[in-house]
Amino acid sequence: MATKKPYTRHDVLFSSGDSSCAAWLYLPTGVTSPPVVILGHGLGATRDMRLDAFAERFAKAGIAAFAFTYRHFGDSGGHPRQLLSIKKQLADWDAAISWVKVRRGIDGTRIAVWGSSFGGGHAITVASRHPELRAAVAQCPFTDGLASALALGPAATVKAFPVITRDLAAKVRRSAPVMIPLAAAPGSLALMNAPDALPGYRAIVPAGSTFRNEVAARVIPSLVTYRPGRAAKNIELPILFCISNTDTVTPPAQTLRYARTAPRGEIKTYDAGHFDFYLGEPFEALVRDQIEFLTRQLAPAPATPAPGRIAPHRR
């Protein structure tokens, strides 16, 4: 007799701004009106780069999962391709929240957001703007663009200036964007060139993926000035920070400083690198901690006694 699958996965296309985002909705089998966690990825990444692994585990634990790809990337809409706009990506989060709130079969009052790397920074921003959410998870989060730029080194920033200038000129001319690699070998021109960056990206790209290791260079100035960690102090809901002690992309010391300002923040640290979080034992440790946190925070609210009735006393 065939074993019943613990979840079903549905392909979704939802509207956002002038285009649409592609997503997967994982619904746990046999759970009526489950809570839901929305998952968004990191810098230039697409949902098939191990967001499905996290979503599957959440669904097996009885939590619906909604993993999406930002506009301009992967199989989502938006032109030109490989355009990273912080404003548009945050609008994609808002659109995803709006979509799950009205989706039949999901409890739209029990929503959490989950972001990894650059998406972890977005999760902080989104949680500070949506107090109606029940919880948030920020995994190896990008919290301070200036700190990340300093970690990359001033020489790398100077080397990027000509590419940024050419891409801004292309924007004015409305011609094809000038690209810069997302990840490359140490010493190379890229947004990330730490020793583990390029192998880390390659390790989580599945065969047949639509992922492209490049992004329009015009994003660099906005990356340096984006400091989502500052919003942590304004988050009213419980948020779990999962931080790498050896992070080469998002410096952990700065992230910890921001995480400690969250009024209801919980912090977990791991002796695994930024790109190790998606695979093997680090993934297992992370997903266990995240399931425990999400299960606790997304549990149904206790029933309120009807007016005029006294709740039974429990010893």
Side-chain angles (χ1 to χ4, degrees), residues 146-159 193:
L146 183 59
S148 290
L150 291 172
L152 190 61
T157 306
V158 171
K159 281 169 68 175
N193 62 11

Side-chain angles (χ1 to χ4, degrees), residues 25 27 33-36 64 99-101 103-108 110:
L25 174 64
L27 292 175
S33 197
V36 60
W99 191 90
V100 300
K101 278 182 177 178
R103 207 277 183 183
R104 292 177 64 182
I106 291 174
D107 186 345
R110 293 189 289 152

Side-chain angles (χ1 to χ4, degrees), residues 9 21-24 26 39-54 67-77 81-84 89 114 116-119 182 201 204-214 278:
R9 191 178 89 176
C21 294
W24 289 319
Y26 292 76
L39 296 90
H41 219 316
L43 205 63
T46 51
R47 68 188 185 283
D48 56 352
M49 294 166 67
R50 295 291 290 174
L51 288 199
D52 49 348
F54 285 92
F68 73 96
T69 298
Y70 301 107
R71 280 177 289 170
H72 302 276
F73 294 92
D75 56 350
S76 290
R81 305 306 295 165
Q82 304 303 115
L83 177 67
L84 200 164
Q89 291 197 349
W114 179 106
S116 188
S117 192
F118 199 62
L182 288 160
Y201 261 92
I204 60 173
V205 178
S209 172
T210 53
F211 171 73
R212 288 164 52 184
N213 183 24
E214 60 182 7
Y278 304 97

Side-chain angles (χ1 to χ4, degrees), residues 263-287:
R264 301 177 67 188
E266 298 182 25
I267 298 171
K268 297 274 189 180
T269 57
Y270 304 85
D271 291 323
H274 185 91
F275 296 96
D276 295 330
F277 274 16
Y278 304 97
L279 299 162
E281 183 46 42
F283 164 76
E284 295 295 337
L286 279 156
V287 82

